[in-house]
Amino acid sequence: PDGRLLAAAHIDGVARLWDLQTRGEVASLRGHGEAKCFDKIADVHAVTFAPDGRALATAGHGSVKVWDAATWREIVSVTGDTMAFSPDGRVLATGLRDGSVTLWEVPTGRLLAWRDRNTEVPTGGLVVRDWDCEKPVCEAPLVAYSPDGGLLAIHRWAFIEVRRILRGDSGAQWAIGDLMRVFALPYRTLGLPAISLAFSDDGRQLAASAGAGGMVWDLETSEGVWQAVFPWVLVSAIALAPEGGAVATAGPVGAYLWNLPDAPTARGR
């Protein structure tokens, strides 16, 4: 978060960190198992820093590990394939390839809450139930916290759910609560997993990239604010500008900055 280190996941099962000033490697994190040739299940496929920069989470081989950023020693290992830290860094949300989502306490690894994939998602007067999937075919749900830590966005196949987090303060039980919002992905993205999922800094908008498209929704009205589809091009990342009014997308052909809500006026490189 302070811009000093760069963390990267790698298919060889190792997460590596570099000092951006010296350009030297400062750590190689192992422990997810060694990947064999073309074995995408065994690689380290995601890394993310805790908001305060004191810990790093890595995902691979069906586990999520949290590492101390001062010593690069493993703090805790939990089950998961995707992950997101809560804003205070005390809770880690993980998505599993069976479609379930779990909340874990950091650094103890205590299970706080769990929600399976067999939940009905109402949209447009219809009810869509998650299909049964067997490992490793099914993609793990992508997860993202709202800036205040009160909401959790969960991408499942063609829909993105927004659920309230019921916190376990004062002895109460933690829970991934009832559905607040659900957003359907455009047909051009169906069958492809969401790659990037992010809230705006004020928590009022949600952005997602999936397949060849990028989308932004207003969480208060549930209306789509912006959408773009790029033929035959993967949109691998999306982010909303901190001050609002713009969304950035990135992929193999370059990065673009789009005005909101006046897209497709854009600048690219």
Side-chain angles (χ1 to χ4, degrees), residues 120-223:
E120 293 185 345
V121 180
T123 175
L126 301 176
V127 175
V128 178
R129 182 180 292 273
D130 288 344
W131 81 104
D132 281 338
C133 55
E134 298 294 334
K135 293 183 179 181
V137 176
C138 183
E139 291 289 338
L142 199 63
V143 290
Y145 266 98
S146 63
D148 64 0
L151 300 176
L152 187 69
I154 305 168
H155 172 264
R156 302 178 191 267
W157 188 54
F159 301 96
I160 295 175
E161 309 169 22
V162 179
R163 295 184 178 273
R164 191 175 298 280
I165 297 296
L166 306 180
R167 307 185 192 192
D169 300 328
S170 303
Q173 185 175 359
W174 284 81
I176 302 173
D178 294 335
L179 190 69
M180 289 187 57
R181 295 283 188 273
V182 60
F183 303 106
L185 297 175
Y187 74 94
R188 291 288 293 276
T189 68
L190 299 187
L192 295 173
I195 300 176
S196 183
L197 191 62
F199 285 88
S200 60
D201 281 3
D202 59 11
R204 295 181 179 180
Q205 294 179 333
L206 178 67
S209 66
M215 294 72 65
V216 178
W217 297 275
D218 187 298
L219 290 176
E220 293 183 358
T221 65
S222 296
E223 297 294 329

Side-chain angles (χ1 to χ4, degrees), residues 45-51 56-60 62-66 76-97 99-107 109-115 140-146 149-156 161 163-166 174-177 197 199:
H45 54 260
V47 293
T48 185
F49 277 101
L56 176 77
T58 61
S63 67
V64 174
K65 297 180 180 295
V66 180
V76 68
S77 179
V78 298
T79 304
D81 296 283
T82 62
M83 73 286 196
F85 279 104
S86 62
D88 62 7
R90 296 170 51 197
V91 179
L92 186 70
T94 65
L96 284 72
R97 290 182 184 272
S100 62
V101 175
T102 308
L103 301 183
W104 309 90
E105 184 179 62
V106 178
R110 180 169 67 97
L111 176 64
L112 299 176
W114 172 82
R115 194 174 191 102
L142 199 63
V143 290
Y145 266 98
S146 63
L151 300 176
L152 187 69
I154 305 168
H155 172 264
R156 302 178 191 267
E161 309 169 22
R163 295 184 178 273
R164 191 175 298 280
I165 297 296
L166 306 180
W174 284 81
I176 302 173
L197 191 62
F199 285 88

